Amino acid sequence: MAATWVGRSLIAILLAAIIVVPVGLRPVEVELPSGTRKLVVLTPHNEQIRYEFGRGFRLWHEKLFGETVDVDWRKVGGTGDILRLLEAQYRTLAQSGREDEGAGYDIVWGGGDYFFDKQLKRGFTIDDGKGDTRNVSMTQPTSLGEDFVKAAFPNPMIADRPLRDPQGHWWGIALSTFGIVYNRDSLQSLKLPEPTTWSDLCDPRYDSWVALADPLHSVSIRTTYEAIVQRSGWDEGWRTLQLVCANARYFAAESSQVAVDVSTGEVAAGMCIDFFARSQATSVGGTRLGFVAPAQLTIVNPDPAAVLRGAPHRDLAERFIQYLLTEPAQGIWCFRKGSPTGPDRYELRRPPIRRDMYEKHLGDMVDKVNLFDIASPLPPNAPSYFDVLPVILHAMAIDVHDELQSAWRTVYQEPSPSRQADLRKLLHALPFTPVDLEQARSRWKTDPEAKTQDRLVWTAFFRDNYRKIASRDFFTHDISEVSGKKD
């Protein structure tokens, strides 16, 4: 009886702890001056960016408008997580025609141009209840003034990509490029040279020493993966992605985690955005951390902000975007800590989006790199894989990672060159062609279940081939029977 009483008491204590501890861990509410207004910003950006620009906007707004503003940052994960949150909330509102009431957020900031242009601005379609459909955008146009826009964007393009939306739905705030972050100490212990291009990460010596992010959660890393296929070509691009995934130790929900783990030596290298790598290099100090953007095999794109539909504080939201594009705010990205118009605490080491910053201040920047000089357009008629990439990579690698790694180890350890060539052919076989992907994309728009079915079919295809390789059952079959579709 006593034992039962003690057990029940322990359960009660544990339940109380579950309730009380999260409350105790909540951030302490800072008392703000009376009359302080609040701006609610959804973002995947890290604490350093949130601190610097929250502080900067508060000072700028108080000086110009005589009002104190508190930026209420809402971080719910990566851009993929933000998209799912917003679409769910706006769909619920749109079902009763209330989407203009908004979802309670003012701004979304952070993520590539595809996220803002093809997902947030384009929005979704919904049945209007009268046998027809209507489109619902999750952002709304913002006007910053013609003279201001001309000063900030004298040329609205970088290579073949727009820096802002012509209708004002989104505005590029900084530039990003993508590459490989690596740990020099780890590479030395693995007897590996410093990487210079994506295919370097396919080296078997990187087995379990690569960090990647999940494209289902991170739009930025999805942009990286897409660029590899677009710039390397169909066959080479998918082969590279598959082998880099085979060498991966994990697939993080947030791409910022990659640079952190590379810096600690948990892994030797990984794919990430340039400023994640540079910010982490500043945090750890020294020369242990390196970064390279593969020449002609990556892209430069804008990192935008947008005012959300039905923003409860629209005037503050528009002022926030205008502030982010002022020269002082642009200097926070790239100048040294403590300089007159630089950051207060953290050197963010990110390329600004205003061209005149490079013309006037390149010598004052921490990283003297002008991305306008190195950006190059995609090959002519390069197709987009952005919306199909998460499905493909989950089917090819993430959902069958153990099987992929076993197959890859069997391949690279095979001593016979001819047999290894046959194994590689099976490993790299694809269950789809470019035409198949176009047809799949069309099906998914009208039949969401088709996406699940395609993913299951593709997953089964890759899993079966990987298991055949690992078991060497391949050598009992004719290659034409197991290698997938023929060109």
Side-chain angles (χ1 to χ4, degrees):
M1 192 75 174
T4 302
W5 181 86
V6 171
R8 288 175 178 173
S9 299
L10 287 173
I11 291 172
I13 293 170
L14 289 171
L15 288 173
I18 291 171
I19 296 170
V20 172
V21 169
V23 173
L25 292 177
R26 286 177 184 167
V28 176
E29 292 287 338
V30 178
E31 188 173 345
L32 299 169
S34 177
T36 297
R37 300 181 66 192
K38 181 173 288 190
L39 178 74
V40 183
V41 181
L42 269 174
T43 184
H45 284 324
N46 60 25
E47 189 273 333
Q48 292 90 336
I49 292 174
R50 300 197 302 270
Y51 169 80
E52 293 294 347
F53 286 97
R55 172 184 179 275
F57 179 63
R58 185 174 65 252
L59 296 174
W60 178 86
H61 193 275
E62 190 167 4
K63 180 178 180 181
L64 264 64
F65 301 97
E67 294 179 322
T68 304
V69 176
D70 175 52
V71 181
D72 181 2
W73 302 102
R74 305 290 179 87
K75 194 174 189 303
V76 297
T79 42
D81 303 299
I82 292 174
L83 177 64
R84 283 186 285 277
L85 170 70
L86 289 176
E87 185 168 344
Q89 295 189 359
Y90 277 103
R91 276 189 182 276
T92 300
L93 291 166
Q95 286 170 358
S96 54
R98 297 184 298 116
E99 62 268 22
D100 287 334
E101 295 180 10
Y105 312 107
D106 296 302
I107 291 278
V108 60
W109 178 28
D113 49 352
Y114 187 99
F115 171 54
F116 282 82
D117 197 59
K118 298 299 190 294
Q119 295 178 314
L120 293 177
K121 177 188 174 183
R122 180 179 292 176
F124 53 87
T125 57
I126 190 169
D127 192 330
D128 66 357
K130 302 176 182 178
D132 204 353
T133 59
R134 60 189 178 88
N135 187 75
V136 178
S137 174
M138 291 177 275
T139 57
Q140 58 184 335
T142 302
S143 176
L144 301 182
E146 186 177 349
D147 291 340
F148 182 84
V149 172
K150 283 183 178 179
F153 301 99
N155 182 341
M157 303 289 292
I158 182 166
D160 55 354
R161 304 179 82 93
L163 295 172
R164 62 178 178 85
D165 176 56
Q167 286 79 47
H169 275 264
W170 57 265
W171 302 84
I173 305 301
L175 292 174
S176 299
T177 190
F178 307 86
I180 303 168
V181 59
Y182 54 90
N183 186 311
R184 291 186 172 93
D185 293 344
S186 297
L187 294 181
Q188 186 174 9
S189 67
L190 293 169
K191 296 181 171 56
L192 279 162
E194 294 184 10
T196 60
T197 191
W198 306 118
S199 59
D200 289 346
L201 299 184
C202 299
D203 190 313
R205 288 175 290 179
Y206 274 108
D207 190 345
S208 297
W209 283 97
V210 174
L212 297 175
D214 186 338
L216 195 62
H217 296 279
S218 171
V219 171
S220 62
I221 200 63
R222 198 188 309 181
T223 302
T224 309
Y225 298 153
E226 181 185 40
I228 291 172
V229 181
Q230 287 175 323
R231 293 190 181 273
S232 302
W234 175 266
D235 292 327
E236 182 63 25
W238 290 118
R239 278 197 299 266
T240 298
L241 280 180
Q242 185 184 42
L243 294 186
V244 175
C245 288
N247 281 336
R249 181 171 298 180
Y250 63 76
F251 299 88
E254 295 187 41
S255 55
S256 58
Q257 185 65 36
V258 171
V260 173
D261 288 348
V262 173
S263 72
T264 63
E266 180 72 19
V267 286
M271 295 181 180
C272 72
I273 305 175
D274 53 355
F275 82 94
F276 283 159
R278 291 182 179 127
S279 295
Q280 191 63 24
T282 298
S283 297
V284 300
T287 60
R288 182 167 72 248
L289 215 58
F291 175 81
V292 60
Q296 302 301 314
L297 290 175
T298 188
I299 62 167
V300 176
N301 72 343
D303 180 3
V307 177
L308 287 164
R309 187 168 191 158
H313 314 102
R314 181 167 180 173
D315 60 333
L316 291 182
E318 292 182 347
R319 291 172 189 173
F320 183 69
I321 290 181
Q322 185 174 27
Y323 160 72
L324 293 175
L325 288 169
T326 62
E327 288 191 47
Q330 291 281 291
I332 291 175
W333 288 122
C334 56
F335 292 158
R336 293 197 177 278
K337 179 177 63 176
S339 61
T341 56
D344 177 56
R345 291 184 184 174
Y346 308 104
E347 289 182 358
L348 302 178
R349 301 183 64 179
R350 189 162 194 192
I353 204 164
R354 289 183 59 138
R355 290 175 185 263
D356 55 359
M357 293 295 292
Y358 300 94
E359 296 164 2
K360 299 175 183 178
H361 307 293
L362 183 61
D364 300 322
M365 296 181 184
V366 179
D367 302 291
K368 298 170 178 54
V369 178
N370 187 344
L371 293 185
F372 285 98
D373 291 341
I374 65 175
S376 61
L378 287 171
N381 303 315
S384 172
Y385 303 109
F386 199 86
D387 51 348
V388 298
L389 256 167
V391 178
I392 293 174
L393 283 190
H394 268 265
M396 175 190 281
I398 300 174
D399 295 345
V400 291
H401 195 232
D402 289 343
E403 290 91 341
L404 171 59
Q405 284 191 318
S406 295
W408 173 224
R409 288 164 186 163
T410 301
V411 170
Y412 74 70
Q413 292 171 1
E414 170 57 50
S416 166
S418 62
R419 284 198 167 199
Q420 187 178 106
D422 286 340
L423 288 171
R424 283 182 180 272
K425 187 171 184 179
L426 181 57
L427 180 71
H428 299 312
L430 299 174
F432 44 71
T433 66
V435 174
D436 292 333
L437 291 188
E438 283 300 319
Q439 293 173 347
R441 185 183 283 115
S442 298
R443 287 197 307 275
W444 298 352
K445 289 179 180 177
T446 57
D447 182 10
E449 286 298 316
K451 180 185 289 188
T452 301
Q453 291 303 315
D454 286 337
R455 177 171 169 174
L456 291 173
V457 170
W458 296 345
T459 302
F461 174 89
F462 287 114
R463 178 183 289 115
D464 289 347
N465 281 2
Y466 298 158
R467 287 177 175 175
K468 284 186 176 77
I469 292 170
S471 67
R472 294 179 173 273
D473 187 39
F474 163 76
F475 292 113
T476 67
H477 295 76
D478 182 88
I479 189 170
S480 62
E481 297 176 359
V482 293
S483 61
K485 295 198 172 191
K486 299 178 182 178
D487 293 334

